[in-house]
């Protein structure tokens, strides 16, 4: 194998806009051209005021060290707007990151605690402070730690044994500190939280309890007690928001913010500073009978903005107060009280059940430089409020440059209305006509209600307009998960009937799929487009005992039978199913056992027979391997397991030939596109000859050329696919920076859409 000189490529996004959870907003207190946001899976963004776009700061991050894409906390130096600090991690690799040029160049320093910016508690803060040359970090796992040498060494400040910190705050002089925590370490019974709010006046040497709401036993709540979410202050008061967990589905007592799935109650408390000590002043919680938490809060001497979070009926509310919280005026409740500019297509109410897509408002910030404006976060991007002083309030997405969606698979079509078919977490899927146009809506039913989180799609080379996909039903219940079919290249969809009555196992899985946000499975279509195969999931994994097929678009279903090498009924285990591009009778399935297994069907998926293959190909957990069918040959597919090598499989009449063409390298993703001559172009991501990157091969893996540089790495990569219509163009389904495409530099055209 030869590695040729790199080819210069440039990259752009197939624009979606926002799409993910922005977990925090940070204005510089004195410099009006320094503004950052942090996200849960997409790293840090800085706003470019000259170009009116957000700039992604994790382009240099590789899939093999993605810690920077999971930031938990961010801090600035109030005396130097060029300095940036943030903590990040994936629990395996955990860092303090430091920059002296607004994130253009970032130095990573190991930090002595586990961090994850995409786990419970990510929505609270702030947790990181820079005061008088010292960094303070309120961690998830080690309590409060601090450093006097920019993270070269750390010391611990004991907060009565509490390890999970929700926020830390300091006054302007750095003499008074306030800290919030989960209360787990001092729980009296493992269910009720201990005290959760403290202050220190001696540089964190000791702490004293600060008045906080007493625990309330809410119905269906798993844990009891209020955890501080956010803190703000003006010249007269401090204000702290609190939330109490609802039914906790994961995360234990560490689950105390909106991302636990539910909150049972909340409070807003007001405090005075008297003789350098905070003193409780008043409960200023708005009157609202609907259970919810309170989180986002921001104040100046003219007004306070406040948000509910996880409000159970009618969605979240944004309040405004001009009398220090004595009374509250609603400025957003659903689609009422304000005007909206839905400048991103999929966010429009008609694609969201007629309602407001805004949710998970855990942070809201008044601009320090324009009292008429504020920003607030959501689970689907960043929003701006204008007209706060005039009363003519306008709310609109503020997402130009933010691409924070998690893409699971991407496909390009050889012909048809839409060129790129995108399979995506949360938003389901998109069908793009070209690389420069926005998609009007993600995969939806005939009413425009969205499906969410597809796992895969399939189509044939002969009929690419005929596409099957496997989505979850959305959170509102307006769509149900299952198998959906498009006959117009992904523009419109219908949901097929469920294969009920075949077996109790399948019926139980289908019952689960009917619930919101449950994996529906994996699909494949025969080469002639006449048979659709569905490995029903109903949760994690695709059982070989739950594989069904239909020849009439779901009017009737039959079950596929899996046999072992001896001809007996195979034991139950997970499989992924695939069709051949040319032979309609040929299907195959990859088995997820100790090592990779293979089943082949030569009767159009009626029966799958295990093939004895002498190989030690490792099968990674949760099916994290990537498989691509070679588009110019029947019976040939390639597999990248993300561990060792790149494997070529060729299915013949009586045998399967397997070759590892890159035994000394690690390949994570593989895909094919239009080639120069007769052979298709092969695209891979991973390490070749010790170098990480994206690579192209024009000779089926005999040689490769790198097609990115060290500034073009974009974090987690879940799938790669070449364009089937144009040589040298390819797509990346990233888990960090949306859906991307690359072209050779001399041919690249990028149109930036301005949404506001």
């Amino acid at each position: 194998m030869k590695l040729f000189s790199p080819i210069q490529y440039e990259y752009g996004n197939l624009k979606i806009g926002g799409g993910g959870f922005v977990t925090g907003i940070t204005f510089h207190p004195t410099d009006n051209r320094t503004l950052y946001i942090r996200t849960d899976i997409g790293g840090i963004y800085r706003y470019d005021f000259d170009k009116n776009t957000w700039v992604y700061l994790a382009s240099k991050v590789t899939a093999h060290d993605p810690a920077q894409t999971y930031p938990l906390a961010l801090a600035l130096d109030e005396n130097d707007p060029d300095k940036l600090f943030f903590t990040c991690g994936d629990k395996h690799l955990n860092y303090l990151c430091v920059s002296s040029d607004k994130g253009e160049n970032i130095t990573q320093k190991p930090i002595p605690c586990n961090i994850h910016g995409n786990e419970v508690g990510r929505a609270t803060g702030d947790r990181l402070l820079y005061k008088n040359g010292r960094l303070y970090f309120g961690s998830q796992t080690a309590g409060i730690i601090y450093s006097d040498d920019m993270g070269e060494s750390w010391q611990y400040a004991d907060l009565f044994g509490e390890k999970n910190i929700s926020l830390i705050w300091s006054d302007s002089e750095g003499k008074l500190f306030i800290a919030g925590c989960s209360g787990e370490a001092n729980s009296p019974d493992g269910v009720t939280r201990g005290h959760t709010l403290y202050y220190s006046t001696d540089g964190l040497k000791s702490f004293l309890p600060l008045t906080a709401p007493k625990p309330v036993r809410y119905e269906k709540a798993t844990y009891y007690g209020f955890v501080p979410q956010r803190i703000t202050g003006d010249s007269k008061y401090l204000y702290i928001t609190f939330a109490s967990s609802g039914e906790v589905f994961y995360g234990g007592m560490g689950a105390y913010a909106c991302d636990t799935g539910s909150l049972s109650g909340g409070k807003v408390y007001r405090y005075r500073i008297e003789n350098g000590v905070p003193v409780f002043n008043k409960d200023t919680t708005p009157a609202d009978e609907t259970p919810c938490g309170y989180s986002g809060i921001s104040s100046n001497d003219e007004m306070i903005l406040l948000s509910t979070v996880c409000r159970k009926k009618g969605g979240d509310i944004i309040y405004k107060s001009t009398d220090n919280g004595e009374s509250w005026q609603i400025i957003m409740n659903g689609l009422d009280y304000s005007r909206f500019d839905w400048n991103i297509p999929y966010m429009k109410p008609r694609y969201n059940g007629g309602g407001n897509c805004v949710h998970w408002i855990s942070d809201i910030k008044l601009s320090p430089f324009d009292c008429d404006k504020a920003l607030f976060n959501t689970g689907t991007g960043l929003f701006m409020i204008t007209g706060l002083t005039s009363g003519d309030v306008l709310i609109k997405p503020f997402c130009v440059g933010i691409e924070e969606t998690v893409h699971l698979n991407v496909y390009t079509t050889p012909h048809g209305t839409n060129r790129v078919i995108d399979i995506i977490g949360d938003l389901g899927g998109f069908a793009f006509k070209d690389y420069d146009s926005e998609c009007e809506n993600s995969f939806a039913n005939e009413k425009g209600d969205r499906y969410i989180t597809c796992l895969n799609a399939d189509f044939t080379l002969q009929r690419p307009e005929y596409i099957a996909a496997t989505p979850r039903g959305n959170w509102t219940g307006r769509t149900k998960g299952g198998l959906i079919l498009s006959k117009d290249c992904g523009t419109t969809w219908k949901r097929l009937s469920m294969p009920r009555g075949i077996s109790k196992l399948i019926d139980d899985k289908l019952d689960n799929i009917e619930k919101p946000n449950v994996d529906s499975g994996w699909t494949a279509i025969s080469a002639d487009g006449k048979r659709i195969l569905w490995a029903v999931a109903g949760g994690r994994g695709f059982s070989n005992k739950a594989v069904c097929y239909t020849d009439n678009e779901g009017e009737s279903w039959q079950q596929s039978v899996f046999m072992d090498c001896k001809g007996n009924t195979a034991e139950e285990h997970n499989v992924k199913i695939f069709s051949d591009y040319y032979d309609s009778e040929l299907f195959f399935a990859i088995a997820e056992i100790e090592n990779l297994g293979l089943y082949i069907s030569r009767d159009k998926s009626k029966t799958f027979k295990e093939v004895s293959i002498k190989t030690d190909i490792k099968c990674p957990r949760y099916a994290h391997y990537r498989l691509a069918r070679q588009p110019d040959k029947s019976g040939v597919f390639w597999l990248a397991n993300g561990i060792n090598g790149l494997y070529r499989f060729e299915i013949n009449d009586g045998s399967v030939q397997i070759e590892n063409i890159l035994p000394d390298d690690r390949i994570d993703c593989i895909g094919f596109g239009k080639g120069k001559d007769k052979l298709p172009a092969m695209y891979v991501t991973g390490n070749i000859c010790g170098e990480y990157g994206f690579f192209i091969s024009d000779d089926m893996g005999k040689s490769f050329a790198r097609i990115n540089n060290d500034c073009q790495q974009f974090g987690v990569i879940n799938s790669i696919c070449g364009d089937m219509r144009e040589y040298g163009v390819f797509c990346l389904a990233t888990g960090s920076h949306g859906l991307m495409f690359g072209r050779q530099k001399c041919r690249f055209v990028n149109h930036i859409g301005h949404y506001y």
Side-chain angles (χ1 to χ4, degrees):
M1 191 279 297
K2 294 181 180 179
L3 186 61
F4 290 115
S5 298
I7 303 171
Q8 286 192 337
Y9 265 62
E10 288 191 9
Y11 290 82
N13 281 98
L14 285 92
K15 292 180 289 293
I16 292 171
F21 191 17
V22 174
T23 52
I25 304 159
T26 304
F27 284 93
H28 193 276
T30 60
D31 186 86
N32 64 0
R33 295 176 64 81
T34 301
L35 170 63
Y36 295 90
I37 57 170
R38 70 175 200 258
T39 69
D40 59 352
I41 56 88
I44 303 290
Y45 285 81
R46 184 190 70 244
Y47 195 68
D48 186 324
F49 286 85
D50 293 324
K51 297 181 179 179
N52 297 320
T53 187
W54 289 96
V55 178
Y56 180 59
L57 299 185
S59 294
K60 300 176 184 178
V61 175
T62 74
H64 297 166
D65 184 359
Q68 285 188 36
T69 66
Y70 306 117
L72 181 66
L74 184 152
L76 303 178
D77 182 344
E78 60 188 16
N79 298 313
D80 184 353
D82 289 337
K83 282 187 178 177
L84 167 68
F85 309 93
F86 63 94
T87 56
C88 60
D90 63 0
K91 290 186 175 179
H92 304 290
L93 299 166
N94 310 286
Y95 302 111
L96 168 72
C97 293
V98 180
S99 174
S100 297
D101 53 11
K102 293 189 174 183
E104 292 297 321
N105 295 282
I106 296 171
T107 300
Q108 294 184 158
K109 301 182 180 184
I111 196 167
C113 57
N114 284 343
I115 297 171
H116 207 301
N118 191 31
E119 291 204 345
V120 292
R122 60 191 161 160
T124 67
D126 291 318
R127 300 167 179 261
L128 186 65
L129 297 177
Y130 180 68
K131 285 285 183 182
N132 303 324
R134 175 179 285 183
L135 282 162
Y136 302 88
F137 177 46
S139 73
Q140 297 159 308
T141 56
I144 299 173
I145 61 176
Y146 60 93
S147 174
D148 291 316
D149 52 14
M150 294 293 179
E152 296 298 323
S153 62
W154 293 88
Q155 299 181 63
Y156 294 82
D158 179 43
L159 184 65
F160 300 105
E162 296 289 352
K163 302 299 184 186
N164 192 329
I165 307 302
S166 65
L167 62 83
I168 56 173
W169 174 91
S170 172
D171 64 4
S172 58
E173 295 179 351
K175 293 181 178 180
L176 171 64
F177 287 85
I178 295 176
C181 62
S182 69
E184 182 173 2
N186 293 286
S187 169
D189 54 13
V191 175
T192 307
R193 299 182 187 278
H195 199 73
T196 60
L197 186 64
Y198 298 87
Y199 72 94
S200 173
T201 57
D202 59 5
L204 308 186
K205 294 177 183 177
S206 64
F207 289 88
L208 292 170
L210 179 57
T211 302
K214 293 181 179 179
V216 175
R217 290 187 171 267
Y218 291 103
E219 184 181 0
K220 294 185 179 179
T222 307
Y223 301 99
Y224 309 108
F226 292 89
V227 177
Q229 304 289 297
R230 299 268 175 180
I231 185 169
T232 187
D234 53 39
S235 61
K236 291 180 66 175
Y237 297 106
L238 294 177
Y239 307 87
I240 300 178
T241 54
F242 296 85
S244 184
S245 301
E247 187 175 0
V248 173
F249 304 105
Y250 54 90
M253 195 173 281
Y256 49 71
C258 64
D259 42 35
T260 66
S262 67
L263 293 172
S264 291
K267 291 287 185 181
V268 183
Y269 272 19
R270 189 173 72 190
Y271 301 82
R272 280 189 182 276
I273 306 297
E274 297 179 0
N275 299 318
V277 174
V279 177
F280 171 70
N281 178 261
K282 188 175 182 179
D283 181 346
T284 57
T285 307
D288 187 350
E289 295 180 357
T290 300
C292 64
Y294 292 91
S295 186
I297 191 162
S298 182
S299 64
N300 57 32
D301 286 337
E302 295 183 14
M303 72 180 77
I304 309 169
L305 292 184
L306 169 70
S307 74
T308 67
V309 63
C310 290
R311 189 170 178 270
K312 288 181 167 52
K313 261 185 198 177
D316 282 323
I317 294 175
I318 296 177
Y319 295 95
K320 172 184 169 182
S321 175
T322 55
D323 55 9
N324 304 113
E326 294 292 330
S327 63
W328 297 96
Q329 171 194 355
I330 296 175
I331 62 171
M332 190 202 78
N333 185 359
L335 295 172
D336 297 330
Y337 298 93
S338 300
R339 295 183 298 118
F340 289 86
D341 175 9
W342 298 106
N343 52 47
I344 296 178
Y346 73 88
M347 294 186 184
K348 295 175 182 177
R350 69 173 177 266
Y351 300 139
N352 292 276
N356 193 334
C357 67
V358 168
H359 63 288
W360 283 8
I361 309 175
S362 64
D363 194 13
I364 191 165
K365 290 289 195 315
L366 285 157
S367 169
F369 314 104
D370 185 346
C371 59
D372 200 49
K373 292 183 179 179
L375 302 179
F376 67 90
N377 72 331
T378 74
T380 189
L382 186 70
F383 282 69
M384 175 184 282
I385 307 174
T386 57
L388 287 168
T389 54
S390 68
D392 183 20
V393 176
L394 174 67
I395 297 174
K396 58 186 176 183
F398 186 54
C399 294
V400 175
I402 301 174
E403 297 290 344
E404 205 225 333
T405 41
V406 175
H407 299 257
L408 306 177
N409 274 296
V410 60
Y411 314 91
T412 64
T413 60
H415 54 83
T417 305
N418 294 309
R419 189 163 178 174
V420 179
I421 307 300
D422 173 31
I423 301 300
I424 183 175
D426 290 342
L427 298 181
F430 288 89
F432 292 92
K433 292 182 179 179
D434 54 52
Y435 293 99
D436 301 312
S437 300
E438 294 174 286
C439 181
E440 179 68 12
N441 186 24
S442 50
F443 295 177
N445 63 17
E446 63 280 358
K447 297 179 180 179
D449 295 320
R450 206 165 46 229
Y451 294 100
I452 64 171
T453 309
C454 288
L455 295 184
N456 89 310
D458 198 27
F459 57 85
T460 73
L461 297 182
Q462 300 173 37
R463 296 177 61 191
E465 72 281 357
Y466 192 81
I467 305 173
T470 53
R472 300 175 185 174
N474 69 23
W475 301 276
T476 67
R478 289 188 174 93
T479 56
K480 303 289 186 182
L483 189 66
I484 59 174
L485 179 66
S486 175
K487 297 181 181 180
D488 53 13
C489 211
T491 302
T492 62
W493 298 85
K494 75 170 184 176
R495 181 174 179 260
L496 302 189
S497 298
M498 304 285 256
R500 292 195 175 273
I502 293 176
S503 72
K504 184 178 184 304
L505 173 69
I506 293 175
D507 283 348
D508 288 345
K509 289 179 178 292
L510 296 175
D511 288 342
N512 208 31
I513 289 170
E514 294 276 326
K515 301 173 184 176
N517 201 22
V518 175
D519 284 348
S520 67
W522 195 269
T523 189
I525 299 180
S526 60
D528 59 11
K530 296 180 179 179
R531 175 162 291 183
I532 303 174
L533 193 61
W534 182 16
V536 180
R540 187 182 289 276
F542 320 113
S543 170
N544 61 337
K545 301 290 186 180
V547 177
C548 311
Y549 60 88
T550 179
D551 294 324
N552 50 23
E553 297 180 4
E555 292 182 19
S556 61
W557 291 89
Q558 302 292 323
Q559 184 175 5
S560 299
V561 176
F562 282 73
M563 313 294 290
D564 65 19
C565 292
K566 298 179 181 179
N568 301 316
T569 301
E571 295 182 358
E572 184 176 6
H573 48 251
N574 287 334
V575 295
K576 273 186 180 179
I577 50 174
F578 301 89
S579 62
D580 187 71
Y581 272 142
Y582 295 96
D583 185 346
S584 298
E585 299 294 313
L586 180 60
F587 284 79
F588 60 95
I590 299 296
E592 300 167 27
I593 47 183
E594 183 178 355
N595 291 325
L596 181 139
L598 177 65
Y599 289 87
I600 295 176
S601 173
R602 301 183 187 277
D603 56 9
K604 214 170 188 176
S605 79
K606 292 180 182 178
T607 57
F608 284 83
K609 295 181 180 179
E610 185 181 11
V611 178
S612 178
I613 51 176
K614 294 182 179 180
T615 179
D616 59 352
I617 302 174
K618 300 297 180 185
C619 194
R621 293 179 65 196
Y622 308 132
H624 287 168
Y625 57 84
R626 293 294 165 182
L627 184 146
R629 294 162 287 181
Q630 190 170 316
D632 65 329
K633 279 193 175 184
S634 176
V636 178
F637 67 90
W638 297 70
L639 184 139
N641 66 356
I643 300 171
N644 60 336
L646 176 62
Y647 298 86
R648 180 184 185 274
F649 289 69
E650 184 168 359
I651 301 172
N652 298 309
D653 290 339
S655 64
V656 177
Q657 294 179 330
I658 304 172
E659 180 184 8
N660 186 357
I661 69 163
L662 295 174
D664 298 322
D665 298 304
R666 169 182 171 177
I667 304 302
D668 301 315
C669 302
I670 180 170
F672 291 96
K674 181 177 177 62
K676 279 184 177 179
D677 299 311
K678 295 182 179 180
L679 291 176
M682 175 192 290
Y683 297 87
V684 301
T685 72
N687 280 77
I688 295 181
C689 297
E691 186 173 27
Y692 174 83
F694 319 142
F695 302 86
I696 187 172
S697 175
D698 294 320
D699 53 14
M700 288 292 105
K702 294 178 182 177
S703 63
F704 287 90
R706 192 182 186 206
I707 52 178
N708 70 313
N709 59 45
D710 289 347
C711 296
Q712 300 168 325
Q713 309 200 98
F714 313 117
V716 174
I717 308 296
N718 290 320
S719 176
I720 191 170
C721 178
D723 189 288
M724 299 184 78
R725 309 184 192 189
E726 182 179 356
Y727 172 74
V729 180
F730 74 102
C731 295
L732 289 168
T734 85
S736 307
H737 191 45
L739 182 62
M740 305 197 71
F741 68 100
R743 285 180 179 149
Q744 289 188 35
K745 192 168 184 178
C746 61
R747 304 163 59 203
F748 182 84
V749 179
N750 185 25
H751 302 293
I752 297 177
H754 289 273
Y755 295 126
Y756 65 98

